[in-house]
Amino acid sequence: MDVSQAIKGRRSIRHYRREAIPQDALLHLVEAAVWAPSGGNAQTWRFVILREQRNVEKIKALSPGVMGNPVAFIVICQDKELAEKNGGRIGRDVLSVMDTAMAAENIMLQAFSEGIGSCAILGFDKEGVRKLLHLPEHVVPELAIMLGYPKRIPDAPKRDFATVYFWEEYENRPKRA
Ligand SMILES: Cc1cc2nc3c(=O)[nH]c(=O)nc-3n(C[C@H](O)[C@H](O)[C@H](O)COP(=O)(O)O)c2cc1C
């Protein structure tokens, strides 16, 4: 699969088959995550993988943003202490969040290329998830990725390409060559 196919083909999947994802496949997704760019190369992300159904159910119960029946989660966390040590306040508050987003996209594209459906989830109770995962105070759960083999693949939401970019300055509308 080429990159363009993966970028355009990936969808947020919310309906899954009840089929477990093998451990190796989940590790492969995390491996893809750590190849993402990282501000200052700080790599302060930490990943908690949930595949035991009782834990999947527990995190679901803490996540109003979850619609559907995922069989696994990868919770992308950030060690904020380390992020601050590496990059000061910007490292802690900005770079670590951006790194999370980039790692998330790698996970979701890798998943898609392997036939695994995914959806980013920000709608969860951070404190509840922190407790569930036994995260220390300085480690924050930034974003969860829910996972499973797709049962239903939705149509792509419309993307607006023509009106979102400008040449050289804001609102300088595209001119066709
Ligand atoms: C930062 C972020 C947070 C998101 N949180 C949720 C969420 O809590 N629940 C959910 O169902 N989808 C969530 N999504 C998925 C978006 O709704 C989805 O990406 C968007 O509708 C576009 O659809 P597509 O991913 O299929 O292109 C999130 C996406 C991003 C990037």
Side-chain angles (χ1 to χ4, degrees):
M1 183 180 290
D2 73 21
V3 175
S4 196
Q5 260 180 309
I7 289 171
K8 292 185 181 170
R10 179 211 58 81
R11 291 277 66 73
S12 288
I13 302 296
R14 300 184 178 87
H15 297 92
Y16 305 97
R17 306 201 299 267
R18 301 241 38 96
E19 192 181 322
I21 303 173
Q23 256 179 17
D24 283 357
L26 290 167
L27 284 180
H28 204 205
L29 302 186
V30 175
E31 194 188 2
V34 301
W35 283 96
S38 166
N41 195 26
Q43 301 187 34
T44 50
W45 42 47
R46 300 290 179 265
F47 303 88
V48 182
I49 307 166
L50 302 179
R51 67 188 293 271
E52 287 185 20
Q53 275 318 290
R54 64 195 163 94
N55 290 328
V56 168
E57 291 307 319
K58 280 184 193 164
I59 194 169
K60 252 182 79 176
L62 293 164
S63 309
V66 170
M67 289 163 271
N69 54 335
V71 299
F73 279 85
I74 297 174
V75 184
I76 309 175
C77 306
Q78 280 288 341
D79 183 330
K80 294 290 184 176
E81 212 167 78
L82 203 54
E84 186 168 10
K85 197 165 149 226
N86 274 285
R89 198 187 281 185
I90 287 180
R92 186 192 66 198
D93 297 340
V94 181
L95 299 182
S96 67
V97 178
M98 298 208 176
D99 285 6
T100 296
M102 297 212 180
E105 180 72 337
N106 271 20
I107 290 173
M108 294 189 287
L109 291 179
Q110 185 71 44
F112 174 66
S113 79
E114 294 181 15
I116 299 170
S118 68
C119 182
I121 300 292
L122 193 60
F124 62 84
D125 163 10
K126 278 200 172 184
E127 256 330 288
V129 169
R130 177 205 292 287
K131 285 194 189 110
L132 175 68
L133 306 183
H134 296 137
L135 301 177
E137 232 4 75
H138 61 282
V139 177
V140 171
E142 295 280 10
L143 189 68
I145 310 293
M146 64 175 181
L147 298 157
Y149 293 103
K151 187 170 180 183
R152 230 172 41 226
I153 300 171
D155 292 337
K158 191 176 162 300
R159 253 62 178 181
D160 202 347
F161 174 51
T163 60
V164 295
Y165 69 94
F166 310 107
W167 288 108
E168 316 301 342
E169 62 183 57
Y170 198 70
E171 297 215 326
N172 190 24
R173 293 284 167 194
K175 290 185 194 72
R176 295 268 166 215

